[in-house]
Amino acid sequence: MEERSVGMEIKKQTAIRSMKYEEFKNNDYLEEMVRELNRNGAGVIVGAVDDLLNWGRSNSIWSLTFGTSCCAIEFMALGAARYDMARFGFEVTRNSPRQADMIMVLGTITYRMAPVLKRLYDQMAEPKYVIAVGGCTISGGPFLKSYHVVNGVDKIIPVDVYIPGCPPRPEAFYYGMMQLQRKMKVEKYLGGVNRKEKEPEEEK
Amino acid sequence: MELKDKIKAIIPQAVFSETGELVVTLLPDDFRRVAETLRHDKEEPMDYLRDIVGMDWGDALGALYYLESTVTYRRITLKTSTADREQPFLPSVCDLWKTAEIKEREVYDFFGIRFLNNPDMRRIYLREDWKGYPLRKDYDMDSNPLDLDNEVNSDTTEEYYLNSDGTIKGHENTVFDRDAFVVNIGPQHPSTHGVLRMRVSLQGETICKVDPILGYIHRGIEKLNEGLTYPQTLAFTDRLDYLSAHQNRHALCMCIEKAAGIEISERAQYIRTIMDELQRIDSHLLFYSCLVMDMGGLTPFFYGFREREMILDIFEGTTGGRLIQNYNMIGGVQADLHPDFQKKVKAFIKHLRSVIKDYHDIFTGNVIATTRLKGVGVLSREDVISLGATGGTGRASGWANDVRKHHPYALYDKVDFREITYTEGDSFARYMVRMDEIMESCKIIEQLIDNIPEGEYRVKTKAIIKLPEGVFSSSVETSRGEFCVVLESHGDKYPYRLHYRSTGLPLVHAMDTACRGTKIADLIAIGGTLDFVIPDIDR
Ligand code: SF4
C-alpha cells in the first residue's frame, strides 16, 4: 500500500477502507469445506496425489471468453502487459468451451443470451467453474428492472465466485480469481469434484 | 429558401410545432410525399436520414424522422402517426434511404408499427416468439418470462403493401432459400466485438449475404429511462458505448441543459472537450489493438494497451473511474481536475507522439496487413450516406460528416483541427482515418490544455429538474460516429421518451453491403475496421 504522508485524518480513513492483508486468507466458506474434507478423511497417497493435481489445476486455469459488454473490456486490460494475468496461472483464454476450465461471465446477460450461456456451460467438460463478474451478472445491476435482463446468472448456472463492481477494478478481478484458486486447492479431485453428468437432455 | 417554406409549398396544412425544437407534423400520405420531395431536391437533397424514433403518444403511434442534407448540413424533423393501435401501418421510406430498412425494423420491434413496402418485417432485438411490444406505454412488464429454450430463427419474413383497392396485403419473402449454404457466426465469438451474431450465406468462399441478428445485449435502457429522473438517466449513457462514455454522457447533459436553459461555465466546457478527445484517443487505440489482434498480430495489442493504460490513469485521477467514469453532470462535471492533470496529459501526448511511429512501423506498412485491407470491403460515398454510416467509416468514403465541424458544440468551433477524409472507402482507409484522428485529437488537446480558465466546474442546478414540454435533441461526434439524443418531455421530472441514436446500428447494417462478393476470411477484418460496439446498438 502506498503510504501517504498527509496528516492523521487521511491515514485514518485509509486504514478503515482498505482490507488488511491477513483478511484475504480469511474465508469461512473455504475453511468449512476443508473441515468437511478432513472429517471424511483421505488416504495418505490419494491425498498427496490430490494435492499435486490441485496444485497443477489451480495454476493453469483457462477461461472461456464470454464477454458481452463493459466488464469484458476490463478483462482485456487484464490480459495486456500491465496487469498480465498469465503471472497467476491464467495463461490464456479459450474460445471453445471444450478447452476451457472455467467460464467468466463478463457483462449483462439478457433473455436472448441466456439459452446460449446455458448451452455453453453444458458443453464444458467437468470439473468446471463459473465466476460472475460485475453487478449485472450478480443481480442484474443497473438493469435490474428491465424486461430483458436476467437478474443474476445464478438463475441459469451455478456460480462459484462473485466479483462485484461496475466494472470491478483489475485488482478485484484478481482477488476473485484467486479465491477460485483457493477453492480448487482444497477440493478433492479424486472422487470429489467430478460431478456425475445428469442424463443428457434431448438436443433440440 | 427556408425548409419550412419548402414544406409549406408541398403540403399547406402541415403543422409546425415550436415547443422545444421545430417538428413538422404530417399525415402518413403527406409525409411520404414530403419525404420524396426533400430527398430528391436538386440543390439541397435531404439525403442523410439520421434516425427514426418510434413513439407512443397514447392516442397515436408514430415516429419522428430526423433528416439532414449532406450539402448544406441543414436539419429538419418530420413527424407522422397513426391512431390505429391494433393494426398500425405507416409508409416505409427504405427506398429513399437504405438505413430505414433496419431502423423501421427497430420501430416495429418496439412499437409494433408495420411499414408498408419494407421487404423485411422481422423482429430485430427481441426473440421471434416475443409477445407484445415493450416500448408501448401499456406493455405489461411481466408478460415475457425468461425462456431457456433455444431460439429458432425463421428463414422467411413478411412484407406488407397497399393493394390498388386500398386494402393491405402481405406476402412472404425469403431471407435465405433452401439451398443457400448458411454459416452462423457469433454471438459468442471473440472477433465480433461483443455479442453480434451474423448469419452468412456463402457461395464457395464468397459471401452472398450477411444477416445480422441483434439483441443479445439488449438491456431495455430506453424503457428504463422512462421511470427515472433526469439525473438518474445519465448513468446508462456510459454503459452504451463504453469506449465513448464521456461523449455519450456529454450529449445527454447537453440536451437536458439546452432544454432546461442551463448555461455551463467556460471551465466545464474546456474539461468536457479535453475529456472527449482523450476518450477518442483511448477508443482508437483499442480499435488498433483489436483490429490487429483479430488479424493475427499479438504484439501491437500490447502497444495499444500500454498507451491506453496511461489515459485510464489520467481518467482515474480526476474521475475515479477507469472504464466507466460517470463524470459529466447536468450543469458541468462531477469534480474538479486533479492537480496533476495538465502535467500528465502533456506528458502523455509527448509520449504518444514519440511512439506512434512504432505503431505504423509494425502494422501499417506490413505487407500482410496491406494486402488484407487495401481494396477490401469497399463502401462508396453514396452507400455510406444512404446507410447513414457516420464517423470514421463515412469519412473513409469521402463523406465529410464530422459533427464537431458541421454542428460545433462545446469548444470545437474555437480549436483548429482537420477533418480527416479519405476517398477509397476500403478497410485500409477506415483504418487510416482512425490513426490520423489520434493525431488530430492530440492537436486539439494541446491547444486547450494550457488555457483552461479558472472558474467553477459545475453550476448549481435545482434539486429536481423538470423540463418544459416539447421535443429536444442534441448530437455529438463520438469515437465512432454521430450519437444523438432525442428527448420528449411532457413537463415532468421524468422523460416521456428518451431515445439514443445508435452509432453502431448503421455500421452493422453496412456489413451486408461491404461484405458481399468478398471472401469469408475478410469478414472479420471488415467488421473490425467498421468498428462497432454492440451494447450501443442493442441499448
Ligand atoms: S456490471 Fe457495470 S460495467 Fe459490468 S457489464 Fe454491467 S453495467 Fe457494464
Side-chain angles (χ1 to χ4, degrees):
Chain A
M1 254 261 124
E2 211 179 298
E3 268 292 329
R4 286 210 214 164
S5 53
V6 242
M8 287 283 284
E9 272 167 33
I10 292 177
K11 255 193 188 160
K12 231 186 204 166
Q13 213 180 14
T14 16
I16 298 167
R17 283 198 161 191
S18 62
M19 207 168 167
K20 284 201 205 73
Y21 183 74
E22 306 85 68
E23 282 172 14
F24 278 82
K25 292 186 184 154
N26 192 352
N27 205 318
D28 301 344
Y29 158 62
L30 293 183
E31 275 169 14
E32 180 53 39
M33 198 181 226
V34 175
R35 264 198 295 278
E36 192 187 326
L37 288 175
N38 284 341
R39 253 201 313 278
N40 296 339
V44 179
I45 297 172
V46 176
V49 176
D50 239 359
D51 281 350
L52 184 68
L53 284 174
N54 283 342
W55 171 79
R57 238 158 38 93
S58 63
N59 284 309
S60 69
I61 311 179
W62 290 4
S63 80
L64 175 77
T65 51
F66 195 78
T68 63
S69 50
C70 347
C71 283
I73 303 292
E74 280 298 68
F75 187 66
M76 277 167 76
L78 233 63
R82 183 181 189 181
Y83 289 102
D84 189 14
M85 60 182 172
R87 291 179 297 164
F88 301 103
F90 303 90
E91 183 61 42
V92 283
T93 57
R94 293 279 95 181
N95 304 322
S96 158
R98 303 282 187 211
Q99 301 166 347
D101 302 302
M102 69 138 161
I103 177 167
M104 285 196 90
V105 189
L106 304 146
T108 328
I109 299 300
T110 61
Y111 283 9
R112 199 168 201 176
M113 196 50 140
V116 182
L117 174 62
K118 174 92 171 53
R119 191 159 160 179
L120 283 170
Y121 177 78
D122 289 343
Q123 284 172 347
M124 283 165 68
E126 291 278 0
K128 53 191 171 188
Y129 303 89
V130 178
I131 298 186
V133 182
C136 285
T137 53
I138 296 174
S139 66
F143 310 104
L144 179 73
K145 288 188 184 149
S146 168
Y147 54 86
H148 202 240
V149 171
V150 179
N151 291 346
V153 285
D154 45 10
K155 296 215 163 55
I156 314 169
I157 52 177
V159 178
D160 294 277
V161 179
Y162 298 88
I163 307 179
C166 185
R169 290 188 53 86
E171 291 84 350
F173 272 85
Y174 278 142
Y175 180 54
M177 287 155 83
M178 287 176 179
Q179 283 297 81
L180 180 67
Q181 289 182 324
R182 292 194 186 103
K183 181 172 176 177
M184 287 167 104
K185 280 205 186 107
V186 297
E187 273 177 346
K188 228 199 267 182
Y189 183 69
L190 300 173
V193 293
N194 286 307
R195 278 162 280 183
K196 195 150 180 291
E197 275 288 330
K198 274 184 278 169
E199 283 292 300
E201 273 181 51
E202 279 290 304
E203 262 294 315
K204 288 219 170 122
Chain B
M1 194 170 165
E2 276 285 307
L3 284 169
K4 235 169 135 175
D5 303 327
K6 239 187 227 173
I7 295 172
K8 262 198 200 131
I10 314 166
I11 306 287
Q13 61 271 29
V15 184
F16 298 87
S17 68
E18 298 261 15
T19 54
E21 286 163 15
L22 174 69
V23 176
V24 188
T25 311
L26 298 157
L27 293 173
D29 293 340
D30 296 347
F31 159 73
R32 174 73 210 182
R33 257 179 60 210
V34 171
E36 263 169 48
T37 328
L38 290 180
R39 170 69 185 84
H40 296 303
D41 194 292
K42 281 271 146 19
E43 278 123 51
E44 191 186 15
M46 287 282 167
D47 45 2
Y48 165 34
L49 175 63
R50 292 166 60 213
D51 209 357
I52 304 180
V53 187
M55 289 272 187
D56 176 7
W57 290 284
D59 50 353
L61 291 167
L64 298 176
Y65 293 74
Y66 282 78
L67 305 179
E68 183 175 315
S69 164
T70 58
V71 180
T72 58
Y73 296 99
R74 281 204 293 179
R75 292 169 166 178
I76 186 87
T77 311
L78 308 180
K79 166 177 160 180
T80 186
S81 61
T82 161
D84 188 350
R85 286 186 80 87
E86 298 304 314
Q87 291 285 326
F89 282 100
L90 286 178
S92 166
V93 288
C94 66
D95 52 333
L96 304 175
W97 299 280
K98 204 164 180 328
T99 180
E101 278 174 12
I102 204 154
K103 295 222 158 118
E104 286 172 353
R105 276 178 72 187
E106 176 188 320
V107 176
Y108 166 62
D109 201 358
F110 290 158
F111 293 94
I113 303 171
R114 291 189 168 83
F115 289 85
L116 297 171
N117 295 333
N118 184 323
D120 190 356
M121 274 282 105
R122 278 174 300 161
R123 283 193 179 267
I124 177 166
Y125 294 119
L126 303 170
R127 286 175 70 117
E128 282 172 24
D129 52 8
W130 192 269
K131 292 186 278 303
Y133 304 100
L135 260 75
R136 285 195 186 184
K137 293 283 174 186
D138 54 7
Y139 176 74
D140 173 12
M141 291 291 260
D142 300 321
S143 56
N144 286 282
L146 177 59
D147 181 359
L148 281 177
D149 282 346
N150 291 321
E151 187 187 349
V152 185
N153 295 103
S154 75
D155 284 337
T156 56
T157 171
E158 296 269 282
E159 173 174 353
Y160 299 89
Y161 55 91
L162 206 59
N163 239 1
S164 48
D165 58 359
T167 54
I168 287 167
K169 279 265 151 56
H171 69 91
E172 216 167 59
N173 284 343
T174 34
V175 183
F176 294 112
D177 55 38
R178 283 191 68 84
D179 13 296
F181 184 78
V182 182
V183 177
N184 177 68
I185 300 171
Q188 186 261 344
H189 188 281
S191 309
T192 52
H193 294 209
V195 284
L196 175 63
R197 179 172 163 216
M198 287 174 286
R199 289 197 294 166
V200 183
S201 76
L202 297 175
Q203 184 66 253
E205 270 189 72
T206 312
I207 298 171
C208 304
K209 183 172 185 172
V210 180
D211 177 37
I213 298 172
L214 306 169
Y216 284 95
I217 186 72
H218 171 61
R219 308 191 267 205
I221 289 180
E222 290 181 7
K223 182 81 176 179
L224 290 173
N225 278 337
E226 291 167 12
L228 298 175
T229 61
Y230 289 108
Q232 286 174 332
T233 55
L234 293 180
F236 290 143
T237 50
D238 289 44
R239 288 156 179 87
L240 287 167
D241 174 357
Y242 32 76
L243 297 171
S244 306
H246 274 303
Q247 297 136 343
N248 289 348
R249 208 170 159 109
H250 191 166
L252 181 55
C253 289
M254 248 171 24
C255 186
I256 297 173
E257 283 154 10
K258 194 158 72 178
I262 299 168
E263 193 74 42
I264 72 164
S265 70
E266 184 83 359
R267 185 177 174 84
Q269 295 281 27
Y270 268 78
I271 299 177
R272 281 185 181 179
T273 314
I274 294 172
M275 286 296 188
D276 280 5
E277 291 311 312
L278 281 175
Q279 181 86 69
R280 197 180 317 278
I281 299 176
D282 163 21
S283 168
H284 287 347
L285 288 175
L286 194 95
F287 158 80
Y288 174 83
S289 309
C290 292
L291 173 71
V292 182
M293 193 166 68
D294 289 348
M295 290 175 63
L298 208 53
T299 313
F301 170 79
F302 293 108
Y303 281 22
F305 265 77
R306 182 183 61 196
E307 268 71 59
R308 187 170 172 265
E309 285 291 340
M310 295 176 76
I311 301 185
L312 296 187
D313 272 351
I314 295 172
F315 280 160
E316 195 180 346
T318 293
T319 70
R322 278 164 52 87
L323 179 71
I324 286 177
Q325 299 104 353
N326 295 324
Y327 188 51
N328 281 316
M329 302 284 286
I330 299 167
V333 293
Q334 177 104 44
D336 209 353
L337 294 176
H338 189 269
D340 277 349
F341 182 78
Q342 275 143 303
K343 202 176 86 202
K344 275 194 170 170
V345 171
K346 276 191 273 186
F348 166 70
I349 290 186
K350 192 155 161 260
H351 171 76
L352 187 65
R353 283 193 190 280
S354 70
V355 295
I356 200 82
K357 196 175 153 288
D358 300 349
Y359 283 59
H360 289 297
D361 282 351
I362 199 167
F363 186 69
T364 313
N366 185 304
V367 56
I368 301 174
T370 41
T371 15
R372 285 195 62 186
L373 295 178
K374 277 196 179 152
V376 176
V378 180
L379 289 167
S380 71
R381 186 168 186 274
E382 289 70 47
D383 285 341
V384 285
I385 294 175
S386 178
L387 286 163
T390 52
T393 305
R395 289 194 285 278
S397 303
W399 174 25
N401 61 8
D402 198 324
V403 185
R404 294 175 294 170
K405 267 274 187 259
H406 305 292
H407 301 276
Y409 54 96
L411 289 174
Y412 287 112
D413 48 351
K414 297 209 180 65
V415 290
D416 166 44
F417 69 101
R418 204 157 54 88
E419 180 176 7
I420 311 282
T421 49
Y422 279 72
T423 48
E424 292 88 347
D426 56 359
S427 293
F428 192 72
R430 288 192 283 272
Y431 162 74
M432 282 312 289
V433 166
R434 282 165 184 123
M435 294 313 280
D436 292 354
E437 273 183 7
I438 295 182
M439 296 336 284
E440 290 305 308
S441 294
C442 288
K443 225 165 87 188
I444 296 176
I445 297 173
E446 279 170 336
Q447 292 169 45
L448 299 174
I449 192 76
D450 281 324
N451 308 322
I452 304 176
E454 292 296 318
E456 48 185 8
Y457 54 88
R458 184 176 166 198
V459 295
K460 286 247 157 9
T461 52
K462 287 202 208 90
I464 293 171
I465 296 173
K466 282 192 185 174
L467 298 190
E469 262 181 56
V471 179
F472 303 92
S473 73
S474 69
S475 64
V476 299
E477 181 75 18
T478 69
S479 314
R480 56 207 85 245
E482 177 176 350
F483 178 78
C484 176
V485 175
V486 176
L487 191 161
E488 173 155 335
S489 159
H490 284 191
D492 290 328
K493 55 183 185 193
Y494 311 104
Y496 185 75
R497 169 117 165 87
L498 182 52
H499 167 87
Y500 303 121
R501 176 194 194 267
S502 156
T503 46
L505 184 60
L507 299 179
V508 163
H509 188 205
M511 281 296 277
D512 187 36
T513 316
C515 292
R516 275 190 197 202
T518 60
K519 298 278 182 271
I520 179 87
D522 291 325
L523 181 104
I524 294 297
I526 295 174
T529 57
L530 287 172
D531 192 20
F532 32 72
V533 163
I534 311 297
D536 153 70
I537 298 171
D538 288 354
R539 281 161 284 152

